[in-house]
């Protein structure tokens, strides 16, 4: 999908001055359960360019985001998913900017408050998903199911809508689609602009050879993307939990490895359609469970009592040869249970090979998927990758040629 949407930079800065600008960001950051602190601030940092631009151009910013999912009144009252934590972080990043935090994101007096804002100030509203549960504790999903009244209310707080929440753009929520539908002037911010540009490079006439690497747990999550990218990729390397279904479909023993019987047909179909492109692992690091001692298994000599949790050394070598020559790489999904030290070697090596191809072979490398991005960060090779998307599900949908409703709804460029 190629989007030609109106951009923030297309608006004359003079038309932003003194205006109330509703800015939807994706501050859905991971919070460490032990410390209660933000463990990765990348998503907030990626939004700063747009925020600073609006501040420098004397806008009044009404800032919205979600944080996690809210399913009960207890969750809401616990404040564990309150955006207050993001508010504290932003205050330190935007010294000198007047930022306020609004606990009640649907209070009627917000309209008056927005009208009284000073230029260069920010009003951050509480987690938009607090609206998924009403005061009676009912799961009404006003935000997540895009209740039209909610979108209309938030839209009434501003004159211009800037959507910069790339990570939420595959969802049709009140705080993106709902607002855009109720405001005349809507644009995409700098982050969405950059994400689209970088993702498009990989799918719009990419330089050959194109190597796609798929991993992760479930084939069902990735099948649409494999089908779409498979059309123009030269090789499709498969690892991780999803590889075992392919091996089983070919009649091999896979022990207790991850396998989804309902996906058997999909595995067979893909093997048929892309038989010259799909490359499957030939050896594995296995164990009884993630706590047990690992052993090595081959694809044609699998021990029945164990399951595969990482790719083995022969596979690593085989994948390396293919990745080395790539001119475009699209990677989505770790090739092992990288959360455990003993099963992360394959995934970290993949990151290293991708980084090396990027530097030595002038390859364009793209990582989509939250866990793959986290793995790249652990490896330390993340800085060499051409682009690591901030949107897991959104980038996957984009790489499946699906429409992103949060972007589709924005006005077209003139
Ligand atoms: P991404 O977020 O990059 O799209 P996914 O969410 O699809 O990736 O997959 C990541 C998950 O897949 C990780 O939690 C990882 O532990 C799991 N995984 C990878 N390999 C295996 C395997 N062999 N068995 C079980 N789970 C696996
Ligand atoms: Mg994931």
């Amino acid at each position: 999908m190629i989007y030609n949407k109106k951009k923030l930079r297309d608006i004359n800065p003079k038309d932003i001055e003194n205006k109330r600008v509703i800015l939807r960001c994706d501050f859905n950051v991971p919070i460490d359960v032990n410390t209660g602190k933000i463990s990765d601030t990348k998503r907030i940092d990626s939004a700063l360019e747009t925020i600073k631009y609006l501040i420098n151009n004397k806008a009044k910013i009404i800032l919205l985001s979600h944080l996690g999912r809210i399913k009960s009144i207890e969750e809401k009252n616990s404040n564990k998913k309150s955006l207050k934590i993001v508010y504290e972080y932003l205050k330190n990043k935007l010294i000198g900017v007047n930022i306020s935090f609004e606990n009640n994101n649907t209070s009627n007096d917000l309209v008056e408050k927005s009208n009284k804002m000073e230029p260069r100030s920010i009003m951050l509203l509480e987690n938009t998903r607090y609206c998924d549960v009403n005061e009676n504790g009912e799961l009404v999903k006003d935000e997540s199911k895009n209740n039209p009244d909610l979108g209309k209310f938030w839209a009434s707080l501003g004159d211009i809508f800037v959507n910069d929440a790339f990570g939420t753009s595959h969802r049709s929520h009140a705080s993106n689609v709902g607002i855009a539908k109720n405001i005349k002037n809507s644009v995409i911010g700098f982050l969405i602009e950059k994400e689209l540009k970088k993702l498009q490079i990989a799918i719009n006439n990419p330089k050959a050879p194109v190597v796609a690497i798929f991993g992760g747990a479930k084939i069902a999550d990735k099948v649409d993307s494999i089908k779409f990218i498979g059309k123009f990729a030269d090789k499709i390397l498969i690892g991780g939990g999803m590889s075992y279904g392919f091996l089983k479909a070919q009649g091999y023993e896979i022990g207790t490895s991850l396998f989804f019987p309902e996906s058997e047909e999909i595995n067979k179909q893909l093997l048929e359609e892309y038989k010259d492109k799909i490359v499957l692992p030939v050896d594995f690091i296995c164990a009884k469970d993630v706590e047990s001692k690992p052993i090595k298994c081959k694809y044609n000599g699998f021990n029945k009592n164990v399951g595969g949790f990482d790719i083995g050394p022969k596979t690593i070598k085989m994948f390396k040869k293919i990745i080395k020559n790539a001119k475009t790489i699209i990677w989505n999904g770790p090739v092992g249970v990288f959360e455990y030290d003993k099963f992360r070697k394959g995934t970290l090596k993949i990151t290293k090979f991708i980084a090396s191809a990027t530097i030595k072979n002038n390859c364009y490398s793209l990582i989509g998927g939250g866990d793959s991005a986290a793995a790249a960060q652990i490896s330390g090779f993340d800085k060499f990758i051409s682009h690591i998307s901030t949107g897991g599900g959104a980038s996957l949908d984009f790489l499946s040629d699906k429409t992103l409703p949060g972007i589709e709804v924005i006005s077209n460029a003139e």
Side-chain angles (χ1 to χ4, degrees), residues 263-281:
S263 301
E264 225 174 326
E265 265 316 298
I266 293 172
N267 285 126
K268 285 186 179 157
Q269 245 181 44
L270 288 171
L271 279 171
E272 178 58 32
E273 197 174 344
Y274 297 125
K275 56 174 168 291
D276 302 327
K277 297 185 177 183
I278 289 181
V279 182
L280 293 169

Side-chain angles (χ1 to χ4, degrees), residues 365-378:
S365 53
L366 172 73
I367 299 182
D371 290 296
S372 317
Q377 209 171 19
I378 294 172

Side-chain angles (χ1 to χ4, degrees), residues 3 9 24 50 56 73 85 103 119 153 164 177 183 215 226 245 263 273 276 302 304-305 310 312 325 334 340 352 388:
Y3 290 104
R9 68 176 88 243
R24 174 54 158 109
T50 298
N56 290 339
I73 196 102
I85 194 166
N103 288 308
F153 170 73
D164 214 17
V177 172
I183 211 161
I226 298 177
S263 301
E273 197 174 344
D276 302 327
F302 218 100
K304 273 191 178 138
N305 306 314
D310 195 6
N325 296 318
Y340 292 83
K352 186 181 170 192
I388 301 180

Side-chain angles (χ1 to χ4, degrees), residues 38-81:
I38 301 171
S39 52
D40 183 1
T41 60
K42 191 175 170 210
R43 280 191 158 168
I44 312 176
D45 299 331
S46 312
L48 289 174
E49 192 189 353
T50 298
I51 298 175
K52 285 180 179 166
Y53 179 86
L54 290 171
I55 291 290
N56 290 339
N57 286 298
K58 305 192 184 99
K60 308 164 180 181
I61 308 175
I62 294 90
L63 191 52
L64 291 115
S65 173
H66 76 283
L67 176 58
R69 287 202 176 116
I70 303 287
K71 295 190 209 85
S72 67
I73 196 102
E74 291 77 25
E75 225 174 351
K76 205 162 143 173
N77 292 339
S78 77
N79 276 333
K80 282 191 180 143
K81 289 172 185 172

Side-chain angles (χ1 to χ4, degrees), residues 293-307:
K293 197 167 173 263
I295 58 161
K296 279 182 206 155
C297 286
K298 285 191 205 150
Y299 75 105
N300 53 1
F302 218 100
N303 180 334
K304 273 191 178 138
N305 306 314
V306 297

Side-chain angles (χ1 to χ4, degrees), residues 215-217 222 240-241 244 258 308-309 332-339 368-372:
K222 311 273 162 100
Y244 303 98
L258 213 56
F309 293 110
N332 196 306
V335 295
V337 186
F338 77 104
E339 292 90 340
D371 290 296
S372 317

